[in-house]
Amino acid sequence: MLATARFQLQHLPAHLTRDSWPGQLTILEEALSHLDALDAQWRQTRAQLPEGAGPGSEAYVDALDAHHAECWSYLDDWACHGHVILDIQAAARRAPSRPKHPQLPALTSRRSGHGARGR
């Protein structure tokens, strides 16, 4: 979604965009990167928990609480700025569509006085 929004933004006419959109996309990209890193860290933490420290155990719940606390601000970034993806999509739908193939000039007749008969 982020890559699509970034691509769409690069191709939108300036009058359909907002100055804040590039910065908001950057915030979302950075938040996603942090969340990915925290997810990898959580998987590692979970794998290192003592045997028997599964969901519901005190060790598991404490580790999960710590993980959630670290994630919260990045999730908040998504809650605050995630709408920009929909805003860019809406602007892309309003943008005039460009023809897929270049417009060719209209063909004109090449008939002249020579050999035009009989064709």
Side-chain angles (χ1 to χ4, degrees):
M1 290 186 308
L2 283 169
T4 299
R6 181 72 71 183
F7 179 81
Q8 288 173 321
L9 182 57
Q10 292 171 352
H11 293 88
L12 282 173
H15 73 279
L16 292 176
T17 66
R18 294 185 185 236
D19 292 338
S20 62
W21 288 354
Q24 288 176 292
L25 287 178
T26 299
I27 289 169
L28 295 176
E29 290 162 346
E30 289 173 358
L32 182 60
S33 177
H34 287 286
L35 287 167
D36 284 343
L38 288 170
D39 182 58
Q41 182 182 342
W42 166 244
R43 283 184 268 124
Q44 184 179 12
T45 299
R46 198 174 62 204
Q48 294 174 349
L49 287 173
E51 192 171 320
S57 70
E58 187 175 340
Y60 187 94
V61 169
D62 289 347
L64 186 59
D65 285 347
H67 169 69
H68 287 163
E70 291 181 76
C71 293
W72 189 249
S73 68
Y74 304 114
L75 295 171
D76 188 54
D77 287 341
W78 271 87
C80 291
H81 301 287
H83 65 85
V84 72
I85 294 171
L86 299 175
D87 294 345
I88 292 169
Q89 173 64 24
R93 287 180 181 225
R94 285 192 308 270
S97 60
R98 292 184 280 209
K100 293 183 184 346
H101 302 288
Q103 292 283 354
L104 299 175
L107 295 176
T108 57
S109 174
R110 290 187 169 208
R111 289 190 177 194
S112 65
H114 296 297
R117 292 183 202 152
R119 287 191 181 175

